[in-house]
Amino acid sequence: LEEIAPRPVQDTGNILKQGYLEKRSREHSFFGSEWQKRWCVLNRKTFYYYANEKSKWQPKGTFSIENYSARLAPHLRKDSRKKCCFELICPGKRTYEFTAPSPAEAEDWVDQIQFLLKDLNSLTIPFDEEDEEELYNDVDSSDSVNTTSHNTTLNQDEPNAEMEEDDIYEVLPGKEPEPV
């Protein structure tokens, strides 16, 4: 009960992955470790990191994963945990570097983020536009069907209806010269 209570209800459905990772700090300090343990949470578009699991109301940092890419990064460490490293990179933005508890966990984080990014890209670029075009095409085709069926019903009803239209066109040019 204690664990469930502090979690915001609306967030639990959106969380795709969470757990402790070591995050490389931006400022490398001689006094503190350059790798700091952080509780990390990934939802559909955003990566959050907290001082610990209990401080969920105050993230140390958050960033949108849109336009980022994730990859394993064994070059980040020289020690036995180098296979546990991965990074999130985006041109022109800060690179985020992490160490997972195990190589399998690192792979899972990378897989989850790549899966999300594919999902985000497919939602924003091709599928929506295609769906909209199809919808518009449906509307256009049904409109053209209506107009053609409307015209054919007019023609079938009375051939005079067509002649009346012709008469109107003939009368109009005749009226124009009179005022001049």
Side-chain angles (χ1 to χ4, degrees):
L1 286 173
E2 285 175 11
E3 281 182 22
I4 295 166
R7 285 189 186 153
V9 177
Q10 71 272 21
D11 280 357
T12 52
N14 290 331
I15 291 172
L16 295 179
K17 186 151 181 70
Q18 59 185 345
Y20 278 107
L21 294 172
E22 286 180 39
K23 183 184 145 302
R24 190 180 228 169
S25 62
R26 214 190 319 204
E27 306 84 27
H28 302 313
S29 164
F30 288 111
F31 304 107
S33 165
E34 65 174 327
W35 292 96
Q36 296 158 333
K37 198 172 183 181
R38 295 284 179 251
W39 178 255
C40 298
V41 176
L42 175 67
N43 79 7
R44 294 187 195 292
K45 285 187 174 180
T46 312
F47 194 104
Y48 301 87
Y49 51 95
Y50 304 83
N52 56 53
E53 193 179 351
K54 293 189 175 83
S55 64
K56 284 184 186 160
W57 304 106
Q58 291 179 313
K60 283 256 179 206
T62 110
F63 61 96
S64 168
I65 63 161
E66 224 167 340
N67 303 319
Y68 269 85
S69 60
R71 66 182 184 195
L72 294 171
H75 63 275
L76 294 180
R77 292 178 83 130
K78 304 275 185 274
D79 62 10
S80 61
R81 299 186 63 206
K82 65 182 184 181
K83 288 185 177 174
C84 304
C85 296
F86 68 97
E87 61 186 359
L88 294 172
I89 49 178
C90 179
K93 291 191 179 175
R94 178 184 171 188
T95 296
Y96 291 89
E97 301 166 334
F98 297 97
T99 304
S102 69
E105 269 296 291
E107 281 178 38
D108 195 43
W109 277 97
V110 168
D111 289 346
Q112 289 286 350
I113 292 163
Q114 285 176 340
F115 172 76
L116 268 185
L117 291 167
K118 272 183 202 161
D119 213 33
L120 282 173
N121 290 338
S122 68
L123 284 173
T124 50
I125 304 163
F127 290 115
D128 274 0
E129 286 177 13
E130 283 174 19
D131 289 347
E132 284 172 23
E133 281 172 24
E134 283 172 24
L135 287 174
Y136 291 135
N137 288 344
D138 290 346
V139 172
D140 290 346
S141 60
S142 64
D143 279 354
S144 58
V145 167
N146 288 347
T147 51
T148 52
S149 63
H150 184 64
N151 289 347
T152 51
T153 50
L154 266 180
N155 294 347
Q156 285 168 352
D157 284 351
E158 284 281 332
N160 293 345
E162 229 178 277
M163 289 179 72
E164 282 172 22
E165 283 178 18
D166 288 345
D167 289 343
I168 291 166
Y169 288 122
E170 286 170 17
V171 171
L172 280 173
K175 280 187 176 178
E176 278 177 23
E178 287 174 12
V180 175

